[in-house]
């Protein structure tokens, strides 16, 4: 599902059995945040599936995007539901490390 009409950012969802993976590409920033939140709300609420956000093709994330990921983490934790971030690009991993949020996400793989 493309969450932005100008193709600056895409969030595509893939469901396999008990896992929902959301593949992000492009730039996750303030301009696409409302659409991204709308896309994620029903997925966050579905506690019958593990939720994974794949960042392999994400080029940029700002504080708004990081805030959304943290709010997803908090909501899933409150519902005792699984949430992971995987395939974090090196430049975004450095940002996660600098802001101290790396420890809150459990990446399955790191592409660096």
């Amino acid at each position: 599902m493309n969450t932005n009409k100008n193709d600056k950012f895409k969030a595509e969802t893939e469901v396999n059995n008990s896992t929902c993976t959301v593949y992000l590409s492009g730039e996750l920033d303030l301009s696409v945040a409302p659409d991204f939140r709308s896309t994620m709300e029903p997925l966050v609420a579905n506690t019958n599936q593990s939720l994974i956000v794949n960042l392999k093709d994400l080029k940029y994330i700002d504080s708004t995007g990081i805030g959304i990921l943290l709010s997803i983490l908090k909501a899933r934790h409150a519902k005792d539901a699984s949430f992971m971030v995987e395939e974090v690009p090196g430049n975004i991993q450095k940002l996660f490390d600098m802001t101290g949020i790396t420890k809150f996400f459990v990446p399955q793989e790191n592409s660096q």
Side-chain angles (χ1 to χ4, degrees), residues 33-90:
D35 292 332
F36 181 54
R37 282 186 201 275
S38 297
T39 298
M40 295 304 294
E41 276 181 19
L43 305 177
V44 171
N46 184 355
T47 58
N48 295 323
Q49 294 179 323
S50 295
L51 181 58
I52 299 171
V53 175
N54 183 298
L55 304 182
K56 180 181 176 186
D57 295 320
L58 194 66
K59 304 296 180 217
Y60 173 81
I61 187 169
D62 71 359
S63 60
T64 306
I66 291 173
I68 293 170
L69 292 177
L70 289 172
S71 67
I72 292 169
L73 176 71
K74 184 178 177 180
R76 295 288 291 185
H77 181 74
K79 297 176 185 215
D80 199 26
S82 173
F83 176 63
M84 288 185 270
V85 175
E86 69 177 6
E87 296 194 74
V88 181

Side-chain angles (χ1 to χ4, degrees), residues 5-50:
K5 292 152 189 72
N6 68 9
D7 290 328
K8 176 181 164 185
F9 173 75
K10 289 183 182 178
E12 297 187 21
T13 305
E14 179 181 289
V15 178
N16 290 320
N17 300 321
S18 62
T19 302
C20 177
T21 304
V22 181
Y23 295 90
L24 304 185
S25 62
E27 300 178 4
L28 175 52
D29 61 18
L30 181 61
S31 68
V32 299
D35 292 332
F36 181 54
R37 282 186 201 275
S38 297
T39 298
M40 295 304 294
E41 276 181 19
L43 305 177
V44 171
N46 184 355
T47 58
N48 295 323
Q49 294 179 323
S50 295

